[in-house]
Amino acid sequence: MATAHSNLGGSIESSLQSQDSVRSDESRVRSTGPMGSWESELTSIQHALKFVLALKDEFVCPVCRGVVLNPQQNSCGHIYCFHCLQGLLETSPPSGPVCPVDGAVVTPAEVFQDNCCKREISNLEVYCTNFPACTSVVTLHRLQDHLSSCPYEQLQCFNVGCRAALQRRHLQEHLSSTCPHRTEPCPHCQKPLPLSLIQDHVLTSCPDVEVHCPSCSQKLPRHKLKEHRDSCPEVQVSCSYQRFGCCVQGQRARVKLHEDAAVNHHMLLVLKSNTHLEQQVEVLQEEALQRQQEVQTDGSLLDGLQQEVRPLLQQTSNHERIICTAQRTLSRHEDVLSTVQLEVQQVSRALGPGLEELEQLRKSLDAVIQEVSETEALKEHLGTLEENLKRHSGLLDLHAAQLHRNKQHLQELEATSYDGRLIWKIDDFSRRRDAEVRGQPPSLSSVPFHTGRCGYKMAAKVYLNGDGEGRGTHLSLYVVLMPGDFDALLPWPFRQTVSLSVLDQSGAANHRSLSFKPDPASKSFQRPGAESVSNIAVGFSCFIPLDKLETPHNATYVSDDTLFVKVKVDTAGLEQL
């Protein structure tokens, strides 16, 4: 047999016979490149191959008894499959692997790939593995290419959940017509789904299937059912004046007739609710007065606590000085005590005329101990004073916080207006305008005001450094509509004339005023959404130039760094509820 040597083990000297050399050679055989793709794919059907001509013995692997794939030749001349040789090396005894035919030692360094034998084997003719159904005859290295297109090859169905195995020629029909797990479009929405899920999809979730409304039995597509329920005349609803005390419930159409017919009754309910709100306002005003009295009481208590704390702070300072003095005295006495102890030792040795001096030293020692005790007592008293100081400081902070909250709540109650007018005092004008120039905050908003007890809720907004086309050159002034408690009873859109003014503080009454009449088509004057903070602001981006505002000729708009803004709503023709 031809021997086209391709040494797999590399250049290793044959004289190395030690166990370490054998193991190293085995490792190099294992690391040889894998078989060709057609040989590796034939490994699973190696023993099922049927050759046209009888297979020669030299092409039969002595290990697996199948046709040799990727032949490797030993020094004894026998040929093995690549993967059979690897198994032989891995399972060999400590003495080393041997040839299963003649018992010759298999030395990995002497094993090589027999390319000549490989070419001969790859050109052997073989029947298709689906013989006799398929009568094709191909060379061994082309067998896998033939099987990839053979119509008689057994293939697994591609659909998830289907375990059917069919010949390639029947697979397409199975996939498109007979497979119970195939994908089909929904007959209504055309969404592709597994056949087994289409019926459940149609019954429960298909958006295009027509279903009956549970209230009026009207038939409509499922995806329009929710929209239909919002307008279905048969749906059970409550009267829109339920929050005012109306208890009527029923079908939407009947409730609508009730709302149109019971306007007077509903107005009475609203007025009753309004009366209750006025009573609540009176109660809040009484509470505000009571809170003001509490603030005054807290202020008096705060002053008393401050007066109590000052002597404590003074005492603490005095005690600290006493402690420092005592510590210095204690240090000196400790030095004296050390000296006395040394002298006592000397006197003890002498045991003579120094007895009187020893008695004096003992008295000095007792005096030192007494002073130390007094110092410790001062330390304990100082700790008690510090705890009292911390407790009084905490009470002082609590009263100060409560005082601030009461003042803030009182200011909000006092600023509320119900006559359609707002006088807004803006102090710290220069600081606030400089903050806007730097970009924070961009605008200021006033407290809300109302056109009546049950009227529109509004607020003013000002840009001290201008907004839009007036940025940096003018003061911009706007007004906004806000969601109110009585919006359902008020006419919309808002149509009342609004006047905006910057007030002259010189006494000459040269106020700067501009007015506008609302545009009914603008969204800014429609009813505000219940979940929104306010509508879009409306007003004048170039209300007054900044140079005329700060240095006018015949008026004083900014005085003591304070600006006054006035908003007036014309309530003529506006019915009071």
Side-chain angles (χ1 to χ4, degrees), residues 293-431:
Q293 295 174 352
E294 292 178 356
V295 167
Q296 295 176 354
T297 303
D298 291 341
S300 301
L301 179 60
L302 183 61
D303 293 338
L305 290 174
Q306 289 177 341
Q307 293 176 0
E308 292 180 7
V309 167
R310 289 192 190 98
L312 292 175
L313 293 174
Q314 185 64 32
Q315 291 179 11
T316 301
S317 178
N318 294 336
H319 287 304
E320 287 179 351
R321 288 196 294 271
I322 293 172
I323 288 175
C324 292
T325 303
Q327 287 177 344
R328 289 194 295 269
T329 303
L330 179 62
S331 178
R332 290 196 301 270
H333 288 166
E334 287 178 350
D335 295 338
V336 172
L337 181 61
S338 299
T339 304
V340 168
Q341 288 176 343
L342 292 174
E343 292 177 354
V344 168
Q345 292 176 358
Q346 293 175 0
V347 171
S348 298
R349 295 191 191 96
L351 292 177
L355 291 177
E356 293 180 359
E357 186 179 355
L358 178 61
E359 185 64 26
Q360 293 177 357
L361 291 175
R362 285 180 180 176
K363 291 180 181 180
S364 299
L365 180 60
D366 292 339
V368 170
I369 293 173
Q370 182 66 27
E371 290 183 2
V372 171
S373 300
E374 292 176 356
T375 303
E376 293 294 333
L378 286 175
K379 285 185 178 180
E380 292 179 359
H381 183 61
L382 179 61
T384 304
L385 291 176
E386 289 178 350
E387 292 179 359
N388 291 336
L389 177 61
K390 290 180 181 179
R391 180 169 56 84
H392 287 297
S393 297
L395 292 174
L396 184 62
D397 293 339
L398 290 176
H399 285 293
Q402 183 64 37
L403 178 63
H404 176 72
R405 289 194 295 270
N406 292 340
K407 285 183 178 179
Q408 185 176 4
H409 184 63
L410 183 60
Q411 290 173 356
E412 292 178 358
L413 290 175
E414 292 176 347
T416 303
S417 169
Y418 294 95
D419 58 357
R421 298 184 181 185
L422 170 68
I423 301 297
W424 181 15
K425 179 181 179 182
I426 304 175
D427 52 9
D428 291 338
F429 176 83
S430 301
R431 180 183 61 79

Side-chain angles (χ1 to χ4, degrees), residues 442-487:
S443 67
L444 301 176
S445 297
S446 72
V447 296
F449 67 99
H450 303 76
T451 60
R453 287 292 181 181
C454 304
Y456 299 96
K457 184 179 181 181
M458 310 176 72
K461 292 186 70 174
V462 63
Y463 289 79
L464 299 180
N465 192 47
D467 177 47
E469 61 184 52
R471 184 180 297 276
T473 60
H474 288 71
L475 179 138
S476 303
L477 193 55
Y478 302 96
V479 68
V480 294
L481 283 169
M482 305 175 69
D485 294 334
F486 304 96
D487 288 350

